[in-house]
Amino acid sequence: AQTVTQSQPEMSVQEAETVTLSCTYDTSESDYYLFWYKQPPSRQMILVIRQEAYKQQNATENRFSVNFQKAAKSFSLKISDSQLGDAAMYFCAYRIPGGSQGNLIFGKGTKLSVKP
Amino acid sequence: NAGVTQTPKFRILKIGQSMTLQCTQDMNHNYMYWYRQDPGMGLKLIYYSVGAGITDKGEVPNGYNVSRSTTEDFPLRLELAAPSQTSVYFCASSFSVGRSGNTIYFGEGSWLTVV
């Protein structure tokens, strides 16, 4: 069974600094997709970044980037120049073609606090 | 740009009551999903649909029913509400999984409390 593990229940970062959130996953598939979603107190699920497993290049979206290590099954999220608005729960998620028709498997989340 | 719209946003139910959470999407997505999120946890799949007239169970389907009569709508029915169904519910949609359709879009969530 596919699983997603986020080993850091809570993280804290100083405003303008850089923080890295960890995620590992377990799968026997070779073709899959990985995502980071942000969930602010409003509970809305906001897509931050996505990575296709067949791409070796790490995805980047403005201040957000990932370190995708396929062999190690690791998918960490780096947030640069942290802002107060980055404070939220962050969920790592995994998706394969076909499994429950593309269902997302979520980790338990990391709560990120940003200190002014 | 509405995306995925859920109603109601908040609801308090008494034990044994029934209700329907409504979900509609305007992105012409063929796949739709219902998730629930319990406190301190990630989301878990309740039911999903790959197109109008086709639905299937996810990881936690007990106590729920769904229907998909149109591409746009995917209502979730709670029968005989129980305190264990107190949760935040998310509707989501996507295209078929593939190179261009790998992102799932979420509604804003519906907070349900059963007392």
Side-chain angles (χ1 to χ4, degrees):
Chain A
Q2 294 90 9
T3 58
V4 176
T5 302
Q6 294 179 249
S7 60
Q8 307 151 315
E10 296 188 25
M11 290 284 284
S12 181
V13 64
Q14 205 72 34
E15 194 176 7
E17 297 294 310
T18 295
V19 65
T20 299
L21 308 183
S22 301
C23 173
T24 58
Y25 56 94
D26 185 23
T27 184
S28 58
E29 303 288 337
S30 59
D31 189 18
Y32 52 87
Y33 307 91
L34 296 163
F35 306 84
W36 279 97
Y37 280 89
K38 171 185 177 182
Q39 188 179 48
S42 67
R43 290 286 192 129
Q44 187 174 1
M45 295 293 286
I46 302 166
L47 178 66
V48 175
I49 200 166
R50 67 186 180 199
Q51 174 81 41
E52 291 88 347
Y54 67 90
K55 290 186 177 178
Q56 292 185 336
Q57 186 174 6
N58 289 326
T60 299
E61 289 286 343
N62 300 315
R63 298 182 294 107
F64 298 88
S65 61
V66 298
N67 183 5
F68 173 49
Q69 301 289 328
K70 190 172 184 179
K73 298 178 183 175
S74 172
F75 183 60
S76 60
L77 175 69
K78 185 171 82 171
I79 306 174
S80 304
D81 186 25
S82 297
Q83 301 175 359
L84 296 177
D86 294 334
M89 284 290 290
Y90 286 82
F91 290 97
C92 179
Y94 160 96
R95 186 184 191 197
I96 59 169
S100 290
Q101 297 302 323
N103 175 37
L104 279 169
I105 308 297
F106 285 89
K108 291 186 177 182
T110 297
K111 183 178 181 180
L112 178 66
S113 301
V114 180
K115 298 178 180 179
Chain B
N1 52 343
V4 180
T5 303
Q6 297 178 228
T7 56
K9 285 190 167 49
F10 301 93
R11 181 72 185 269
I12 298 175
L13 274 181
K14 292 184 179 179
I15 294 172
Q17 286 186 321
S18 300
M19 74 161 295
T20 299
L21 297 175
Q22 301 292 344
C23 176
T24 188
Q25 52 92 9
D26 62 359
M27 296 175 280
N28 203 30
H29 287 160
N30 49 339
Y31 287 12
M32 294 189 74
Y33 311 83
W34 274 105
Y35 290 87
R36 61 177 285 174
Q37 183 181 28
D38 297 328
M41 302 293 288
L43 281 66
K44 292 187 177 181
L45 184 67
I46 305 172
Y47 270 95
Y48 67 95
S49 168
V50 301
I54 305 170
T55 63
D56 208 345
K57 296 177 181 178
E59 183 181 359
V60 288
N62 291 342
Y64 307 95
N65 278 300
V66 294
S67 60
R68 184 96 180 270
S69 57
T70 66
T71 299
E72 295 79 18
D73 301 308
F74 190 42
L76 177 71
R77 177 87 177 157
L78 281 73
E79 305 282 0
L80 299 174
S84 61
Q85 293 178 303
T86 294
S87 191
V88 181
Y89 292 82
F90 290 92
C91 181
S93 70
S94 74
F95 289 115
S96 307
V97 178
R99 292 293 181 261
S100 61
N102 55 46
T103 298
I104 295 180
Y105 297 89
F106 287 84
E108 294 187 347
S110 298
W111 299 62
L112 175 65
T113 301
V114 182
V115 297

